[in-house]
Amino acid sequence: LPRPPIQLRTGCCCNPGGCQALLGLSEADVLDAVRAGKQCGDERDVLGGRPTGVVRASLGKDSSWEDVDALLSFLHETFVLRPAERTSSADAADAEADPRPAAPCRVLELFVHPLKSCGGMRVRRWPLDPLSGRLLYDREWGLAGPSGTLLRSTAHPRLALLRPELDLAAGLLTVSAPGLATLTLSLPLEEKQVHSRVAPRAARSPSSS
């Protein structure tokens, strides 16, 4: 989208299992879709009256609060305001801020991914990096192959079976996986002054001070 400048990802976002769970599709539904010719990357968004994918906007370590504001403004104008209240994108960019209080939004679940492309750890509260504003140590580390190339879930989907747990107080990263011994690493975590924390059920924004 050119205004606001947002890039959206559609489909199953390289996570067919999560997509299946989110859409409430049974194994029979998935097999029916395959028999009907559904393939990864095609443009068949609906089969039998049911969606085959999702629309996702991702935030990462390089995202800013302005990015979050742009996304929330887009969602509010597109899905909350009535048609008569909507302005064109060009007018909205120059319009004064709406004095009416925004409808509250809630973060229902929060996950941190210390290891890139691996499973996430569910947390109730988590500190923010004071410099970037991102979740502290989210996607801070990764796994490299024999050639030194970073492993990614697109080529190695079983990375999702790795479950890292980061203990900030102890400076320990514990990684578990089905059928394998647990690995515990001592990490020289930097001492960072954390000014705010992210927690589920925060109002109006994904963080609360």
Side-chain angles (χ1 to χ4, degrees):
L1 301 174
R3 186 178 293 184
I6 297 175
Q7 293 184 353
L8 300 175
R9 189 176 182 185
T10 62
C12 280
C13 308
C14 298
N15 186 2
C19 188
Q20 178 183 350
L22 182 64
L23 297 175
L25 300 176
S26 66
E27 291 187 12
D29 294 328
V30 175
L31 292 175
D32 288 342
V34 173
R35 296 188 187 99
K38 173 63 182 172
Q39 296 182 359
C40 180
D42 65 18
E43 297 183 359
R44 306 183 68 179
D45 301 326
V46 178
L47 283 177
R50 303 182 67 178
T52 60
V54 299
V55 178
R56 187 180 84 180
S58 300
L59 299 173
K61 66 181 182 65
D62 295 319
S63 301
S64 65
W65 286 116
E66 288 76 14
D67 296 330
V68 178
D69 289 338
L71 176 61
L72 292 179
S73 297
F74 164 73
L75 294 174
H76 185 257
E77 182 176 349
T78 305
F79 299 105
V80 177
L81 296 180
R82 294 186 296 271
E85 297 176 308
R86 297 174 185 164
T87 59
S88 67
S89 298
D91 293 337
D94 301 323
E96 295 182 355
D98 191 340
R100 296 172 299 177
C105 66
R106 293 181 177 179
V107 178
L108 298 180
E109 290 188 293
L110 182 64
F111 292 85
V112 179
H113 296 75
L115 293 177
K116 183 175 177 60
S117 293
C118 296
M121 51 181 282
R122 181 187 280 107
V123 296
R124 290 193 57 79
R125 297 175 65 86
W126 195 257
L128 300 176
D129 186 303
L131 296 179
S132 66
R134 69 185 177 94
L135 293 172
L136 192 63
Y137 298 118
D138 185 63
R139 294 172 173 82
E140 185 80 5
W141 301 281
L143 300 177
S147 65
T149 303
L150 185 67
L151 302 181
R152 299 181 181 275
S153 58
T154 50
H156 306 278
R158 290 178 63 83
L159 286 173
L161 297 177
L162 298 179
R163 295 296 176 185
E165 292 288 339
L166 181 59
D167 186 331
L168 294 177
L172 296 176
L173 176 64
T174 302
V175 184
S176 60
L180 298 176
T182 299
L183 175 66
T184 300
L185 301 173
S186 178
L187 301 175
L189 302 181
E190 300 177 11
E191 293 186 3
K192 299 186 179 183
Q193 182 65 38
V194 179
H195 300 288
S196 57
R197 290 175 176 268
V198 173
R201 302 186 181 279
R204 294 198 59 183
S205 76
S207 70
S208 60
S209 299

